[in-house]
Amino acid sequence: MYHPLHDGWTLTAVSDEVDIAGVPAVVPGCVHTDLLAAGLIDDPYLDDNENRLTWIGRTTWAYETTFLWPADGAADAERVDLVCDGLDTVATVLLNGTEVAATANMHRFHRFPVRELLREGENTLRVVFGSPYDYAEERRAEVGDRPGAYDEPYQFIRKMACNFGWDWGPTLVTAGIWRSIGLHAWSGARLASVRPLVTMEGHDGRVEVRATVERAAPDVSLTVTAEVAGVRAEARLAPGEREAVLVLAVPGPDVWWPRGYGDQPLHPLTVRLAPAGGHGLASGGGEDEWTRAVGFRSLRLDLADGAFTFVVNDVPVFARGANWIPDDCFPARITRERLAERLGQACDANMNLLRIWGGGLYESDDFYDLCDRLGLLVWQDFPFACAAYPEEEPFASEVEAEARDNVARLMPRPSLVLWNGNNENIEGYHDWGWRESLAGRTWGGGFYHDLLPRVVAELDPTRPYWPGSPYSGAPDLPPNDPARGTVHIWDVWNREDYLRYGAYHPRFVAEFGFQGPPAYATLRRAVRDEHLTPASPGLAHHQKAADGMDKLLRGLGDHLPQPSGLDDWHYLTQLNQARALAFALERFRAQAPRCMGTVIWQLNDCWPVISWAAVDGDGRRKPLWYAVRRAYADRLLTFQGDAITLVNDGGAGWSGELTVTRLALSGEPLAVETLPVAVPARGTLSVPLPEAVAAAGDPAKELMTASAGGLTAVRFFAEDTEVAYPEAEMDVVTEEVPGGTRVTVTARTLVRDLALFPDRLDPRAEVDDMLVTLPPGATATFHVSSPEPLDPAALTSYPVLRCVNEARR
């Protein structure tokens, strides 16, 4: 019987310098959110408040509560354990003044026997959290410094690395009971762990259940049963035995598929433990039971000739993915509903994979459960990122323990398709000069090439393990070679124009991205400078990337004009972000099956910031999101060099006519070619451009369109700064409809990258589409959802309605 201990907590600073005591605390939670709720600190996400809160991470904090014992039904329990699902991070646990344990790993689960420490009546539980900085700096002094991406000691403590700040995140070093805590009272025996190995053998499913029991009474014979999809198996454990293996053969089960490839049927797997005589185990009677939903599917990673391809149910899957970071700096605030919204945004953008990045967390059960049900594949990094990590004790033991905890927890999930050793650490060791500065000190290689693959092979042999990303498949190969394995592309954004993506011929791109600001409503909520400009100090604080503001402007290159004022800066840099990623995604998808995956950096943000995200820190979709939705659609029509490529990632063939038109900016057709096309399911077709349309008579005054199957692609022969655009003229009609406004735009001239930003009028408003290019005479309809009616004149005027060639203001 489990009794949560989530009530009655208080928070106190154990410090002579900080006078805070007895603050009401929420568990699960953290110090920052408790201080914020008490009105003792300003919101760290607003303005530059973050700068004045660094003392929190350098202070010792104590959480304390009292509770009555015994709880209902627990008086006769043979064992009582204190179960801590998440202590962040350097914790000393005391029950009635006696130290129960000392921990130092945010990523682990802990269980401590405490029956002898409990007393009848009132009990006191106290958890003291030492300063993460003090702990990390002490460990660094012991083992020697290690290189990392930032001047913070995040690699010396087993804690969410991005807590210490990143090039998209604030430095908010937390402490607290961040996951559930409670008392588990039990008798006889309990299921200590259940590991189901779920595989397919031909058309039949197979579940091998490996159950481990913990005993309070060693002389009891036990029965372990497992049941799934109408199939049942049983095993007997003699007195003293702890391990049971049960095999269930399931004939012809409904098969689980990634989204876009089929359905996601899930089957409850139930494992029960009982005395062989059938009497109950726990005080109060009843069986010990473990239940999870499993999915039957086969999985392998095709690495032939340098490839990196997920093969599910014998079908190669092109990964249309995004990197995932913690959705909040304070993870206890992330609800299932919030995750459902964010993962829904991934699905609505036609994604089928999320990579949980190594500077974050092993995510919550809710996250993986939603992915199982949505068909979103999960690539799970072990939490190591952008630094050389020490392999000495206590690090090695902590890493093994957290890996065992989380591999066992997550292995039932059909959505989980890869264990990845780290993010960019192998590349750092080989290519960033770490080897020389380390001078023989450990750097984490033993984790990625030995410890972690051993744990995965032992506990979860049904899934592939990959040592890190980027990685080319062997320790002696250049790790970031596009011709093999996984590659990260960061010369674009940091140094190169986004057209540089066109020079790449990768097998799988696991990280690449381009920055843009958040939605206007998000920006104005977070940055409250009185006269906001692109040079405002408040805006600069919400740009964490080195030289980020200059890179945003340099990134416009010859593609778009340099902005004048905040409104133009906001629209043009958002538009440039969307164009850059659309260019890359179309380029890489057109190279399938040589390239079999793209994982953009990144889907989401953890706070309001200028970043690479498609969905900003307030959950609003940026223009990039709409561009990704088009580029990740099952069917894609794209200009690639001297050809048009048709990409068909659907399950049925695509045949019809392809029409290519060269036309003047005025809309007058100058040449038209029509060709029959047929693209197989999960295939691509490259069609050379007919000579009549391939070249412009005057690049500044012409464009080209391609149409097939209801899709249209547009190519201009010159960059926007060289195109002789007419001033945009359009007729705009608004109509109130249930839940919002319908906006119909009919172009009288060419209109380039038309967008609506209704959040400027109401932060709750959003639009269903944007970045639409209309030739003269064409019409587009937008649906703006808002809880209150919007002013039609404002909705259809600058700076809410925008296009590249808008009329001079």
Side-chain angles (χ1 to χ4, degrees):
M1 188 173 296
Y2 181 75
H3 305 273
L5 298 175
H6 292 170
D7 299 327
W9 289 89
T10 60
L11 173 68
T12 297
V14 185
S15 168
D16 294 333
E17 290 77 34
V18 180
D19 185 18
I20 294 176
V23 173
V26 174
V27 170
C30 73
V31 172
H32 286 77
T33 52
D34 291 332
L35 297 180
L36 182 61
L40 297 175
I41 62 172
D42 293 324
D43 190 333
Y45 287 3
L46 303 184
D47 302 317
D48 63 349
N49 294 340
E50 167 203 355
N51 292 342
R52 290 175 288 281
L53 301 178
T54 55
W55 57 273
I56 296 174
R58 295 190 175 276
T59 301
T60 296
W61 298 94
Y63 281 80
E64 187 170 302
T65 191
T66 59
F67 61 93
L68 296 177
W69 194 260
D72 291 343
D76 298 326
E78 295 175 350
R79 291 278 297 271
V80 181
D81 296 337
L82 178 64
V83 180
C84 306
D85 287 341
L87 299 175
D88 175 20
T89 292
V90 186
T92 302
V93 182
L94 302 105
L95 179 58
N96 295 324
T98 299
E99 182 174 324
V100 173
T103 72
N105 192 329
M106 182 182 188
H107 306 300
R108 286 186 63 182
F109 309 100
H110 295 283
R111 175 182 285 266
F112 310 114
V114 295
R115 185 177 184 278
E116 302 306 318
L117 298 178
L118 290 166
R119 55 195 181 208
E120 187 173 350
E122 189 172 274
N123 292 255
T124 299
L125 179 61
R126 181 178 173 89
V127 185
V128 180
F129 291 95
S131 160
Y133 274 112
D134 289 351
Y135 178 91
E137 288 163 356
E138 288 169 8
R139 300 292 84 73
R140 177 167 61 185
E142 290 172 3
V143 301
D145 202 5
R146 302 290 197 282
Y150 305 99
D151 189 22
E152 294 279 341
Y154 58 88
Q155 67 268 53
F156 298 96
I157 183 171
R158 294 310 298 152
K159 177 175 172 61
M160 182 168 74
C162 60
N163 238 194
F164 290 86
W166 221 259
D167 57 5
W168 39 258
T171 303
L172 296 168
V173 179
T174 58
I177 304 169
W178 76 286
R179 281 180 169 160
S180 179
I181 187 170
L183 292 169
H184 181 206
W186 57 281
S187 297
R190 71 177 186 90
L191 288 166
S193 74
V194 176
R195 293 188 296 107
L197 306 176
V198 185
T199 55
M200 292 289 291
E201 296 180 348
H203 297 291
D204 297 330
R206 184 180 190 274
V207 183
E208 180 180 305
V209 176
R210 295 183 170 270
T212 302
V213 302
E214 183 181 9
R215 292 173 174 270
D219 57 347
V220 176
S221 294
L222 302 170
T223 299
V224 182
T225 61
E227 187 170 357
V228 66
V231 178
R232 186 177 184 276
E234 181 178 306
R236 178 72 64 91
L237 291 177
E241 290 184 332
R242 299 183 63 247
E243 306 283 343
V245 178
L246 302 91
V247 177
L248 299 97
V250 181
D254 292 335
V255 176
W256 187 97
W257 289 92
R259 60 178 294 102
Y261 286 73
D263 296 329
Q264 293 79 43
L266 297 172
H267 307 265
L269 168 65
T270 300
V271 179
R272 294 186 178 91
L273 175 68
H279 299 293
L281 292 173
S283 62
E287 298 177 327
D288 195 10
E289 184 174 292
W290 177 101
T291 299
R292 294 290 186 278
V294 300
F296 290 98
R297 53 107 181 97
S298 66
L299 169 68
R300 61 186 173 88
L301 190 60
D302 181 2
L303 302 174
D305 299 321
F308 189 92
T309 303
F310 292 105
V311 182
V312 182
N313 301 326
D314 295 323
V315 176
V317 174
F318 189 100
R320 295 179 260 170
N323 282 267
W324 171 271
I325 66 171
D327 205 51
D328 200 308
C329 298
F330 312 124
R333 298 201 297 197
I334 304 172
T335 63
R336 184 181 178 93
E337 292 71 26
R338 178 165 161 182
L339 288 171
E341 177 187 2
R342 205 69 67 245
L343 298 183
Q345 289 168 323
C347 294
D348 290 343
N350 295 311
M351 295 178 183
N352 62 17
L353 179 144
L354 292 176
R355 175 191 172 208
I356 301 178
W357 167 77
L361 299 163
Y362 307 95
E363 282 289 339
S364 67
D365 288 338
D366 282 335
F367 181 96
Y368 302 98
D369 182 61
L370 288 165
C371 288
D372 287 346
R373 297 175 187 281
L374 293 168
L376 279 169
L377 302 178
V378 176
W379 159 328
Q380 177 70 58
D381 280 12
F382 286 97
F384 301 89
C386 302
Y389 284 75
E391 299 173 40
E392 292 81 356
E393 293 294 348
F395 302 103
S397 294
E398 288 293 341
V399 168
E400 180 168 359
E402 78 178 52
R404 288 182 174 278
D405 279 356
N406 287 284
V407 170
R409 173 173 72 102
L410 300 180
M411 59 182 294
R413 301 297 186 181
S415 57
L416 180 61
V417 293
L418 184 71
W419 294 107
N420 181 60
N422 72 87
N423 175 74
E424 297 187 345
N425 295 347
I426 296 172
E427 181 187 21
Y429 181 74
H430 284 270
D431 296 342
W432 297 354
W434 291 1
R435 191 181 334 214
E436 294 76 15
S437 64
L438 284 165
R441 293 193 298 276
T442 59
W443 59 280
F447 295 153
Y448 318 134
H449 295 295
D450 179 24
L451 189 152
L452 294 175
R454 278 194 290 108
V455 170
V456 171
E458 175 191 342
L459 299 182
D460 186 19
T462 68
R463 279 183 188 81
Y465 171 85
W466 192 246
S469 190
Y471 189 65
S472 293
D476 58 343
L477 293 174
N480 203 27
D481 181 359
R484 304 180 184 90
T486 61
V487 65
H488 294 190
I489 300 176
W490 285 114
D491 54 350
V492 179
W493 167 252
N494 282 317
R495 298 180 301 279
E496 303 285 349
D497 184 272
Y498 70 71
L499 296 179
R500 164 74 177 163
Y501 287 129
Y504 279 90
H505 300 273
R507 310 309 299 269
F508 193 108
V509 193
E511 249 192 56
F512 63 109
F514 209 90
Q515 266 202 359
Y520 188 82
T522 301
L523 190 65
R524 290 308 278 145
R525 183 187 73 82
V527 181
R528 297 172 295 181
D529 294 11
E530 185 174 351
H531 299 294
L532 192 61
T533 73
S536 293
L539 197 60
H541 183 76
H542 288 255
Q543 166 61 274
K544 295 295 187 178
D547 196 27
M549 299 304 269
D550 288 341
K551 288 176 182 175
L552 276 173
L553 294 179
R554 288 201 305 268
L556 296 174
D558 295 325
H559 306 299
L560 291 164
Q562 290 295 305
S564 173
L566 179 73
D567 292 333
D568 284 354
W569 173 86
H570 187 259
Y571 169 62
L572 293 172
T573 55
Q574 281 197 331
L575 171 60
N576 203 48
Q577 178 189 32
R579 285 191 185 179
L581 267 291
F583 178 86
L585 291 174
E586 291 182 16
R587 168 69 178 169
F588 300 145
R589 288 194 70 193
Q591 295 180 40
R594 175 180 174 81
C595 177
M596 283 300 288
T598 52
V599 188
I600 66 168
W601 186 267
Q602 65 218 66
L603 174 66
N604 61 322
D605 269 327
C606 61
W607 76 312
V609 65
I610 302 165
S611 85
W612 298 264
V615 177
D616 73 22
D618 283 1
R620 295 188 176 92
R621 300 173 297 182
K622 293 159 66 170
L624 171 61
W625 182 91
Y626 299 87
V628 170
R629 181 176 64 178
R630 287 194 194 96
Y632 269 162
D634 281 355
R635 291 182 177 181
L636 173 67
L637 191 62
T638 173
F639 289 98
Q640 295 293 319
D642 295 329
I644 302 164
T645 300
L646 294 86
V647 179
N648 179 21
D649 203 13
W654 176 15
S655 60
E657 288 188 338
L658 170 68
T659 300
V660 188
T661 304
R662 180 166 59 88
L663 63 161
L665 298 187
S666 63
E668 176 190 356
L670 302 176
V672 180
E673 295 282 350
T674 300
L675 307 165
V677 291
V679 193
R682 316 291 179 196
T684 61
L685 174 69
S686 180
V687 180
L689 283 170
E691 185 177 345
V693 297
D698 185 343
K701 297 181 179 180
E702 298 177 20
L703 71 154
M704 182 165 38
T705 65
S707 300
L711 299 178
T712 299
V714 178
R715 170 186 276 183
F716 284 78
F717 290 99
E719 296 290 353
D720 284 58
T721 53
E722 300 168 348
V723 174
Y725 282 121
E727 290 188 358
E729 297 179 9
M730 59 191 109
D731 298 316
V732 186
V733 177
T734 65
E735 177 187 1
E736 279 195 36
V737 296
T741 306
R742 180 186 298 122
V743 180
T744 303
V745 179
T746 301
R748 286 187 272 119
T749 65
L750 174 71
V751 176
R752 181 81 192 271
D753 284 320
L754 181 66
L756 274 167
F757 299 99
D759 62 287
R760 284 177 167 266
L761 305 178
D762 185 333
R764 300 166 295 176
E766 59 182 8
V767 66
D768 66 334
D769 200 6
M770 64 168 63
L771 305 185
V772 176
T773 294
L774 299 174
T779 296
T781 300
F782 303 90
H783 294 272
V784 177
S785 61
S786 59
E788 302 291 338
L790 302 177
D791 177 10
L795 184 61
T796 58
S797 302
Y798 177 94
V800 177
L801 181 68
R802 300 297 307 262
C803 65
V804 171
N805 58 313
E806 58 205 357
R808 295 190 185 93
R809 298 178 297 281

